[in-house]
Amino acid sequence: MSAIELRNVTVNIGSKQVLRGIDLQVEKGEFMTFLGPSGCGKTTLLRTIAGLQQADGGTIVLSGREVANGETAYHLDSSKRGLNLVFQSYALWPHMTVFDNVAFGLRIRRQSKSEIRQKVMAALDKVRISELETRYPGELSGGQQQRVAIARAIVTEPELLLLDEPLSNLDARLRVEMRAELKRLHRELGATIIYVTHDQQEALTLSSRIAVFFEGKIVQVDRPQALYRRPATLRIADFFGSGGMEMNHVDGRILFAGDGSLYLSSPVCSFALEGRLNALPDKGMAVTMTIKPEHIRLQRHFVPGAIACEVDTVFPAGSETTVTVLAGGRLLTVRLLGDADYDRGDTAYLLLREEHLNLYHGDTGELLDGVRPASLSVTNHASNPISYDQNHLLAEVPTR
Amino acid sequence: MSDKPIITLSQTKPRRIKQWNRLYGWLRSPVHVIGLVGLLFLAYTIIWPVINILLTTFVWKTQDMRITAETNPGHFTLYHWQRVLASDMSLSLFYKPVLHAGAVAFVVSILSMLLGCGLAWLVTRTDLPFKKAIAFLAVIPYLLPSWVIAQAWLTFFKNDKIGGTPGIWQSLTHMQTPDTLAYGFVPIVISLSIHDSVYFFLLVGAALSSMNTQLEEAASMNGAGRWTIIRQIVFPLMLPAILSGFILTFTRAISSYGVPAILGTPVDFYMISTMLYSSMRARLTTEAHVLSLMLMLISMLMIYWNSQVVGRQRSFVTITGKDNPRTLQSLGRWRKPTALLTIGSMILVSVVPLLILLVQTFMLREGVYSWDNLTLHYWIGGSISDINSGEKGVLQNPIFLLALRNSLLIAAFSAVLAALLGLLLGYAVARGRQTWIGRTVDQVSFLPYLMPGISLSAIYITMFARPHWIIPALYGTVWLIILITVVKELPFTVKAGGAAVMQVGGELEEAAQMNGASWWTRFKRIVLPLNRKSLLSAFLIVFIGAMKETELIIMLVTPRTETLTTLTFAYVEKGYTQLTNVVLMIMISIVILVYALATRYGKADLTTGIGGQ
């Protein structure tokens, strides 16, 4: 029995369809993250699961119990769903002390005084702020307020804990610290957690699975590693490539060699392809090749297979250095560990880690699943056996 | 998987289940329930009366038989409208009063605007000394019934030709004051302007102090001069506040009753409100209703004009939430003279009238200024038949005690009810912004603003004279006065309540909902405590309003429901000047005491009550 089962959930707000048929299954104890740009409907889905928003279509089943049904307009009160929510703004009641804030739900449930005291202290202990019980929210720092909000949500021992962008109001250092805390809490509580964020790194760090949202639809659900390695569409790849993790794009073309084998040809490099090639159309097609900056090696000296390039700009950032280089007329971003001793105009050589190279359909933007470079075939364009006509390419590949 | 599927049988059943669940879900939302109940209340107390009155003006009534033989009771006629708008008595019944009222309201609005805005600027934006004292003095006229100043004016300026006894001026100088100075247009405009400039002072003052001075500094950085900044930056940003002040003042002034009754009626200077009142007294009820509707129409046109002008500008954000140090305009060598002049004139309009009235209460014979004329008779004396036809001193007088009790009862009940109702309806407005019901409540609750108090009460007399439906005959009880006060104050309390609820983020409530709190628990434990300050402000504004209310209730009171204001007014009409002033003094003390307590201990703020941010 899944913790959450969503079937074709739709939600309209005003005349706008915010969620357009969501299907999702979340297992017990999972840390599921809803990830997407702002306005993609992830928070709306969270609120619909919480019962703060009515579903207009589809069904929501929590631990085997139907809590919302759009077809019969059935809607179970959020207080009866066995879940709790941590709000983005924390929503701490400013006129109550930390203790009263956390005790609120227990008092509603009319538990005994000693029981309330013991549970509240246990919850405050779990988030490590038991010494703050008599303070008012206004007297706390952002991180402490965040902990109170979490304590308030876990004190009633919900089976399902919903977190709505809980770290977005914290500064960078606190955010990293709270990530670790959340991970620990998930381990200790054993509850199912749904976590909403627009921060890719947060999602990759915390989740056991990630659901990516675009425009009211889930476009991919996968484990973080899988999402990182093989985004299902170019758009997802780009979304993961934003926020300090730029993604390199190179437009190219699949060509047939005389011997019947297939090659990818691009201004930067060319290589033979292997894998599920029969799924590809007969004629040459436009593709986009992506590779992350951290999957390119940059070195001063040529080795076989390396691509010559010219250093454009160097961005040192202490622990890592980002270098942009020009190869085959294209600007590529390379990320190096530590500091790097390059200057603008230097000649250097690139090595692409081909296992991290993804190919996307030039028109639909979908991943060409199972098509990969034949091992060790990536070569410098200069030594490419297939002649490459750049003008011809520009004429036929639609610019993105 | 769902254990018990809800849809099982035929096609029609799920549809019915769906409709049922829809309705149930809709009704479970507190916003909908409050909004619905609120709308019913508003429909019954505001919309229905107006429609009802409108209809009766088109129907012959039995009492019309006295006037014309054409009367055909119960049938349609345009007679009443024609009589008011196009007959030989229209000039004195309608056109002259309208002209008078319009001219008075217009001049009053302009004068109040100049006085109020100027004062607001001095207090919020300059380095004027004694600001606190000035701000306090400026609010005093607001705490008094508007006609107190008129009463003081009369005490000072009246002449023995029309007033019977000479006023202070004539007694001192032995010069008869001209009628135009003592009565009519000039004193009416002055009295009303002094009282109503407070609205501008509060509204524009609040807007000015919440405006970020960086906006001005930015203009100055761009090379704008002082005058350009005021004209191009400050004025446009203040326009919404100025216009709402203008509307407030105009609608109040055009329907004011007390001042024109005291200063206008003796010289036959009638405004619509006083004409309405005398028509009502003369049992020309239907004609009075036509006048009410016309008065409402004029107010509505003003508001419509306001919304046209202000329209999109309401979206100006002048509050940035950043409390940056204010750069104050230096007055230079004008600083001291300005302060002196300001305080001097404030004392002249706020304190001197009160002192004049207070001194009067100790004078056995009016207009005789000598030591042996002093007496406490009007405060504690018994019945002496030569003085005021044997009317007892105020503190001995059972009627006064009844009026005091009624006033306190009415003010306290109305204030509590109006504040709570305002918060509840404000809740529906703020939380239901996205729904039709929230928007409708917002708009309908604004309607009493368009209805001059005297028109509303003219309507309520007819409506509540007899028991109907489940409502008993409220006429003759304090409950009718409480009801009308609550309804009349709704535009302010709902606005204030809505703004307050808006500040309590929806998530605070949802968090409680997640923890299983019912709506009532949420309201009691979250919404109410967080809105305590605004609730208290609304209470204060309604309490003061009810204590000094004249226009609204003058027609509704009966001997049993006499209040302090109507008692004073009755004394005014009988010419019992000293008794009038004694009652006024007591009333004013109560108002000022409550104001001081509420602002000091409850941190109440008048501006939130009259529509400031």
Side-chain angles (χ1 to χ4, degrees), chain B residues 347-470:
Chain B
I347 287 175
L348 200 64
V349 298
S350 323
V351 180
V352 171
L354 291 184
L355 285 179
I356 290 178
L357 297 183
L358 183 65
V359 168
Q360 277 260 313
T361 64
F362 299 116
M363 295 189 355
L364 189 59
R365 236 181 297 275
E366 239 192 296
V368 179
Y369 298 91
S370 66
W371 288 108
D372 54 357
N373 193 32
L374 294 184
T375 176
L376 280 176
H377 172 78
Y378 297 105
W379 287 82
I380 51 171
S383 178
I384 300 173
S385 58
D386 311 355
I387 305 173
N388 294 342
S389 324
E391 191 85 15
K392 287 181 187 169
V394 165
L395 296 177
Q396 292 274 345
N397 194 335
I399 299 175
F400 165 76
L401 295 177
L402 176 75
L404 178 66
R405 213 193 55 147
N406 279 340
S407 268
L408 289 175
L409 192 74
I410 290 168
F413 265 91
S414 320
V416 169
L417 288 176
L420 275 177
L421 195 65
L423 186 65
L424 277 172
L425 291 181
Y427 180 89
V429 169
R431 294 284 188 258
R433 257 169 312 159
Q434 318 287 348
T435 62
W436 65 269
I437 203 153
R439 282 193 295 265
T440 316
V441 171
D442 189 23
Q443 279 153 12
V444 175
S445 66
F446 186 68
L447 285 179
Y449 193 94
L450 307 176
M451 281 187 238
I454 203 140
S455 313
L456 194 66
S457 58
I459 294 172
Y460 270 36
I461 290 181
T462 325
M463 191 169 152
F464 292 100
R466 284 165 297 146
H468 63 136
W469 202 35
I470 52 163

Side-chain angles (χ1 to χ4, degrees), chain A residues 5 47 52 64 66 70-73 75 78-79 83-84 87 89 91-96 104-105 108-109 152, chain B residues 1-3 6-7 17-18 21-22 25 28 507-508 510-517 521 525-526 529-530:
Chain A
E5 210 178 315
R47 290 173 58 84
L52 296 172
E66 183 172 76
E71 277 60 51
T72 58
H75 180 83
S78 34
S79 55
L83 46 77
N84 214 325
F87 291 86
S89 63
L92 298 180
W93 301 301
H95 59 302
M96 298 185 194
F104 188 87
I108 298 282
R109 287 168 179 75
R152 186 177 66 185
Chain B
M1 283 297 284
S2 172
D3 294 333
I6 286 183
I7 313 169
I17 289 172
K18 179 167 187 170
N21 280 340
R22 271 254 161 89
R28 220 172 25 171
E507 293 198 336
L508 287 182
E510 286 176 351
Q513 200 182 341
M514 295 303 307
N515 280 298
T521 314
R525 301 270 307 270
I526 314 286
L530 289 176

Side-chain angles (χ1 to χ4, degrees), chain A residues 217-250:
Chain A
K217 282 190 107 107
I218 293 182
V219 288
Q220 190 175 4
V221 186
D222 230 323
R223 290 180 307 110
Q225 294 88 335
L227 257 175
Y228 176 70
R229 286 194 188 140
R230 298 257 180 271
T233 67
L234 199 53
R235 194 163 167 210
I236 300 172
D238 280 341
F239 180 66
F240 267 93
S242 58
M245 300 196 288
E246 306 77 4
M247 180 70 89
N248 290 309
H249 278 210
V250 179

Side-chain angles (χ1 to χ4, degrees), chain B residues 433-541:
Chain B
R433 257 169 312 159
Q434 318 287 348
T435 62
W436 65 269
I437 203 153
R439 282 193 295 265
T440 316
V441 171
D442 189 23
Q443 279 153 12
V444 175
S445 66
F446 186 68
L447 285 179
Y449 193 94
L450 307 176
M451 281 187 238
I454 203 140
S455 313
L456 194 66
S457 58
I459 294 172
Y460 270 36
I461 290 181
T462 325
M463 191 169 152
F464 292 100
R466 284 165 297 146
H468 63 136
W469 202 35
I470 52 163
I471 316 285
L474 289 177
Y475 183 64
T477 69
V478 290
W479 295 106
L480 180 58
I481 297 169
I482 291 173
L483 176 73
I484 199 169
T485 311
V486 169
V487 169
K488 182 67 185 151
E489 297 286 351
L490 270 183
F492 305 107
T493 52
V494 173
K495 272 248 142 56
V501 172
M502 205 89 93
Q503 282 175 355
V504 178
E507 293 198 336
L508 287 182
E509 244 189 281
E510 286 176 351
Q513 200 182 341
M514 295 303 307
N515 280 298
S518 65
W519 181 78
W520 174 238
T521 314
R522 260 143 55 202
F523 192 76
K524 199 174 57 182
R525 301 270 307 270
I526 314 286
V527 180
L528 217 51
L530 289 176
N531 284 308
R532 213 190 38 152
K533 194 180 143 191
S534 102
L535 204 63
L536 204 71
S537 302
F539 174 88
L540 180 64
I541 207 112

